[in-house]
Amino acid sequence: MAETEIGMSTDNIKGLVLALSSSLFIGASFIVKKKGLKKAGASGLRAGAGGYTYLCEPLWWIGMITMIAGEIANFAAYAFAPAILVTPLGALSIIISAALAHAILQEKLHIFGILGCALCVVGSTTIVLHAPQEREIESVKEVWDLATEPAFLLYAAIVITAAVVIIIRVIPHYGQTHVMVYISICSLMGSLSVMSVKALGIALKLTFSGMNQLLYPQTWAFTLIVLACVITQINYLNKALDTFNAAVVSPIYYVMFTSLTILASVIMFKDWDGKNASQIVTEICGFVTILSGTFLLHETKDMVAGSSQSSSLRLPKHEEEDEGLDPEGIPLRQVDTLRSK
């Protein structure tokens, strides 16, 4: 170990560059995809209303390709640098997304919303910086054994049940007015997809090192789980982006996704085994910081700079359209009567 050496190794520098590139691509993809969703919604049924016209919109596909490129760069970064270096940099995608939303989409965040985003980033960074080292895995079958232990099976059952209940019972009533509805589904399914992606990463790493894991059915089972979870995430993330402010969707999605992924990892890989009380308390404090940031972001998302009004920004979408408000139904954007005409 070269922990006392000054500077970074070549591999760490490669990982750092890949992680930074990943954040740039993913942060930009939120904005490009939303531009595509708005353009598609102008000529057909919006994604937020159950439409899929965005699939014919080139701009949406550019955003999708950009997001995929970012995820590939992030995946590659873990091959060169430790997770303690790569994972915190994922928070930069929030800053990039918010900055681009301000510059391109003219979406505004109240100063307290910015503070909420900062708290979310600090809390998430605190957790990942104190995360334990990953255990050594020698076969994808070992990961499958971890995934089929009672504790993780219970977690997976709760996640799937919650997602189904939200889709069937909650979305019809609150999907268009509460940003947490769509993002909850994305985050819940995302925590399962990350565990499966990690299993696939381990399988590929072992395969490239000469231990072929493609012969095991568990590898293909994890592949199917990834596909199912990712398709679900993409579908409801599109609905969230089409219905709400991208500057809000991005940080909340990051916070929930990160928190649930860490919880899933703690259950499946037993990350807290062998850790002392100080380390665990530090991670809990990081989680509380995340909750504080999320609360602050939600409580101030309807505030307009220099004004205390909020109720006028929470009108149902059809009322917004009748009153001449922005038909996008974006809670953070100012009403037309407050803009210069």
Side-chain angles (χ1 to χ4, degrees), residues 63-301:
M64 194 65 216
I65 292 172
T66 303
M67 175 171 283
I68 293 173
E71 295 296 347
I72 292 175
N74 188 60
F75 181 82
Y78 283 100
F80 292 99
I84 197 171
L85 171 65
V86 177
T87 306
L89 296 179
L92 294 178
S93 64
I94 296 176
I95 300 173
I96 293 170
S97 180
L100 292 177
H102 173 79
I104 298 175
L105 301 179
Q106 286 75 50
E107 296 180 354
K108 307 296 183 179
L109 270 177
H110 189 273
I111 184 62
F112 291 114
I114 296 174
L115 177 59
C117 291
L119 287 173
C120 292
V121 173
V122 170
S124 299
T125 302
T126 300
I127 289 179
V128 297
L129 287 179
H130 292 84
Q133 295 293 327
E134 294 182 345
R135 63 166 65 192
E136 292 292 333
I137 304 292
E138 299 181 355
S139 171
V140 70
K141 294 175 65 177
E142 185 176 343
V143 183
W144 183 263
D145 291 339
L146 293 172
T148 53
E149 289 186 355
F152 189 75
L153 286 178
L154 177 61
Y155 173 80
I158 293 174
V159 165
I160 295 173
T161 301
V164 171
V165 170
I166 292 173
I167 292 172
I168 296 176
R169 302 296 298 274
V170 181
I171 285 181
H173 300 288
Y174 304 105
Q176 296 294 308
T177 57
H178 292 73
V179 66
M180 294 293 292
V181 176
Y182 291 136
I183 295 180
S184 294
I185 299 174
C186 296
S187 302
L188 287 167
M189 301 307 295
S191 66
L192 296 183
S193 68
V194 168
M195 298 301 101
S196 299
V197 166
K198 180 180 288 189
L200 285 178
I202 293 172
L204 291 175
K205 179 180 179 181
L206 293 173
T207 298
F208 291 146
S209 67
M211 302 170 60
N212 191 357
Q213 302 295 302
L214 302 181
L215 300 176
Y216 296 107
Q218 290 89 344
T219 300
W220 301 106
F222 282 124
T223 301
L224 293 176
I225 295 172
V226 169
L227 290 175
C229 292
V230 168
I231 290 173
T232 303
Q233 285 178 261
I234 292 175
N235 182 40
Y236 289 99
L237 181 58
N238 284 333
K239 293 179 183 294
L241 286 172
D242 188 53
T243 308
F244 301 98
N245 192 325
V248 175
V249 171
S250 180
I252 295 178
Y253 176 52
Y254 172 80
V255 170
M256 288 193 66
F257 173 78
T258 301
S259 301
L260 289 172
T261 297
I262 291 173
L263 175 61
S265 184
V266 166
I267 296 173
M268 180 170 170
F269 291 95
K270 302 175 177 61
D271 289 336
W272 279 353
D273 285 4
K275 297 192 69 174
N276 58 44
S278 176
Q279 291 173 307
I280 295 175
V281 169
T282 300
E283 292 188 16
I284 293 176
C285 288
F287 183 69
V288 172
T289 303
I290 291 174
L291 293 180
S292 301
T294 303
F295 176 80
L296 184 60
L297 187 62
H298 267 285
E299 289 302 303
T300 62
K301 69 179 183 296

Side-chain angles (χ1 to χ4, degrees), residues 46-69:
R46 297 165 36 131
Y52 294 93
T53 54
Y54 60 85
L55 294 176
C56 298
E57 175 54 49
L59 195 59
W60 181 85
W61 282 108
I62 292 175
M64 194 65 216
I65 292 172
T66 303
M67 175 171 283
I68 293 173

